[in-house]
Amino acid sequence: MAKTIKKLSPEAGRTDIEGLRAFDADALAKCAADAAQPWWRRRACAQALAGRVPERRVPRLIACIQDTGDVSEVRIALLGLLADRPELLPWLRHEDRQQDGAYGMAEAVLGARGALGDLTAAGALATLAFNPWRHRRETGEEGLDALAARYGFEAVLAELDGARPEDRSTGVRLRHHAGEDVTDALADPDRAVAYRAQEFQTDPERLRGYLAGAPTEEAKLWALYALHRLTDDTAETRRRYEELGRPRVEVAGLDEELRAAIVHEYGQWAEERTDPRWRIEAVCTQPPASDPAERLQRAMAALTAAGLAPKPPVSCGEDNRQGDGTYHVIGYGPSDSKVFISTLGRFVADHDDDPDVRLALESAGFRWIDHAVGSIQVTDLGVYYFGSRDPLDVHTLLFYWQD
């Protein structure tokens, strides 16, 4: 039986992309431009056309790109397919493109401008390349790389303003890829720029030399963090950390038990703008002993002994029906009451501050996290949380859930 486009893409998520790539290009182009077809099939056809777009179909495909009423996923796929067509550039540069609010179109337009050699897009691409979302960042970086390949990285940097951290970040990246040493950027006042600079470090001896004369404490810490990443020599990292005076971010009200639990869960893997003192502290201090399974057994026994009829514990992901995090949930009593048991230590809490539950668990050696302690903001530690990367409070960090 002969294959058809419909048979090769019968429904969303079931596309034989290799089969489509071998299919007749003219038929694919016709399907990609057909608004009566499902958007996911049209997008697949556009993707399968890479490198073999029939010239006679180009005007119709460009019309689809420029149709703001069409589906953005299709428009983006077609724009990627035709990003080498110079006749698109006037439309891409028109100020109306800034008003196109379709999801992903603004980024796709910028990426296409970069691919077509539009140097005036360099600043906007640098902003995009500084975005915390990876897919947006990659689009910005690809556009900047296309400009650098065409004109040279110096020409791209000449379009940027060094007063903006996003432009300095682009400068670090392009200079590195051109073979330049970017160790000096470890002293950048913007932590995201300094983080990018440490990612590009590859020479432990250069970093050791830089440590001796780094202009700021943060620059030294970024150098030490990069050095540890390269050598994995914890003994050296700890020795140098001691020589620096064990600098750390002081948080009012955050005692050592809470601090140890939080820093060893989040310190090394936090967001880019996290203070490097958290990162180095996570490397150089001993993680707390932790046995979540034992704590759950102990909590169940304590609640049972108190006559609270606990239900079997479930993970926070199971309780929320998706995702994962750092606590388990134990329901109890005849209602929907719940108590949270952190996986990070002996920390427990609930929404109602139930005195009977609190007494039972505290008597079993647990630590109740009340509102006063739970509301302490842990500063300069960026942890992703439902689209935000701002500092979180103690309660959220100990009982963290993300879908």
Side-chain angles (χ1 to χ4, degrees):
M1 183 180 296
K3 291 184 177 180
T4 64
I5 291 176
K6 186 174 182 179
K7 288 178 180 177
L8 291 169
S9 55
E11 60 186 47
R14 285 187 58 206
T15 297
D16 179 358
I17 192 65
E18 293 303 320
L20 287 176
R21 287 189 180 120
F23 206 80
D24 177 68
D26 193 71
L28 290 174
K30 184 178 179 181
C31 180
D34 185 358
Q37 293 290 333
W39 68 265
W40 42 266
R41 181 175 294 145
R42 295 174 64 200
R43 182 178 66 179
C45 288
Q47 293 167 340
L49 275 170
R52 57 192 189 107
V53 180
E55 190 65 28
R56 75 186 190 94
R57 297 289 183 183
V58 169
R60 177 64 187 127
L61 296 176
I62 287 178
C64 291
I65 293 171
Q66 297 175 340
D67 181 1
T68 58
D70 207 336
V71 180
S72 61
E73 286 86 350
V74 175
R75 296 173 67 203
I76 291 168
L78 290 172
L79 187 52
L81 180 68
L82 299 176
D84 60 343
R85 306 294 301 202
E87 62 265 40
L88 270 171
L89 192 53
W91 179 82
L92 292 168
R93 295 181 65 177
H94 195 279
E95 61 183 13
D96 286 352
R97 301 294 76 71
Q98 299 176 25
Q99 310 304 318
D100 191 337
Y103 181 78
M105 277 305 299
E107 296 92 333
V109 164
L110 280 174
R113 287 175 64 187
L116 285 168
D118 182 8
L119 264 178
T120 67
L125 284 167
T127 299
L128 191 60
F130 203 58
N131 194 285
W133 293 101
R134 177 176 295 181
H135 66 286
R136 292 172 180 161
R137 172 177 292 185
E138 289 176 348
T139 299
E141 290 177 346
E142 288 169 4
L144 290 163
D145 289 345
L147 293 176
R150 182 175 296 205
Y151 304 108
F153 81 94
E154 296 93 342
V156 178
L157 296 184
E159 295 289 319
L160 304 180
D161 178 2
R164 299 196 319 158
E166 51 265 53
D167 293 346
R168 298 198 302 277
S169 179
T170 289
V172 168
R173 182 174 174 276
L174 293 182
R175 286 169 52 207
H176 168 73
H177 289 321
E180 291 192 7
D181 175 19
V182 296
T183 308
D184 61 313
L186 294 172
D188 195 280
D190 188 283
R191 286 174 182 150
V193 178
Y195 182 89
R196 173 62 61 90
Q198 73 79 26
E199 283 188 311
F200 291 139
Q201 300 304 308
T202 58
D203 186 343
E205 287 307 314
R206 178 180 289 165
L207 287 167
R208 291 185 180 104
Y210 179 80
L211 269 165
T216 65
E217 180 180 83
E218 284 207 14
K220 292 178 181 179
L221 290 168
W222 284 121
L224 184 56
Y225 184 67
L227 180 62
H228 182 80
R229 173 176 56 78
L230 294 173
T231 67
D232 200 29
D233 187 343
T234 303
E236 180 185 13
T237 305
R238 288 177 176 172
R239 175 176 60 80
R240 291 182 179 275
Y241 182 55
E242 293 287 344
E243 291 171 357
L244 292 174
R246 298 174 59 85
R248 68 181 200 171
V249 179
E250 297 295 347
V251 178
L254 189 70
D255 61 48
E256 294 305 311
E257 183 183 29
L258 293 169
R259 184 184 193 94
I262 289 169
V263 75
H264 285 283
E265 177 67 17
Y266 303 103
Q268 286 199 68
W269 320 117
E271 295 291 314
E272 291 181 1
R273 286 191 169 83
T274 292
D275 191 308
R277 291 176 289 178
W278 285 117
R279 300 180 188 277
I280 298 298
E281 183 179 344
V283 171
C284 294
T285 57
Q286 193 67 26
S290 183
D291 188 346
E294 183 278 331
R295 285 195 298 273
L296 284 177
Q297 291 177 355
R298 185 153 42 95
M300 287 291 290
L303 295 170
T304 300
L308 292 166
K311 301 175 177 65
V314 296
S315 70
C316 58
E318 185 176 349
D319 185 62
N320 288 290
R321 299 184 179 180
Q322 59 184 335
D324 199 5
T326 65
Y327 66 98
H328 289 88
V329 177
I330 299 177
Y332 64 92
S335 65
D336 293 328
S337 298
K338 300 174 181 179
V339 62
F340 309 135
I341 316 294
S342 178
T343 62
L344 305 187
R346 62 186 188 101
F347 314 110
V348 295
D350 71 8
H351 291 311
D352 304 317
D353 203 19
D354 187 315
D356 294 331
V357 173
R358 178 170 184 170
L359 177 61
L361 292 175
E362 286 183 334
S363 299
F366 287 93
R367 179 176 176 182
W368 192 265
I369 303 300
D370 59 18
H371 176 74
V373 172
S375 61
I376 296 170
Q377 289 285 320
V378 182
T379 53
D380 296 308
L381 178 65
V383 177
Y384 178 81
Y385 189 63
F386 290 97
S388 172
R389 292 165 173 83
D390 295 330
L392 300 175
D393 61 28
V394 165
H395 188 281
T396 305
L397 292 169
L398 295 180
F399 309 100
Y400 179 91
W401 171 72
Q402 182 67 54
D403 65 7

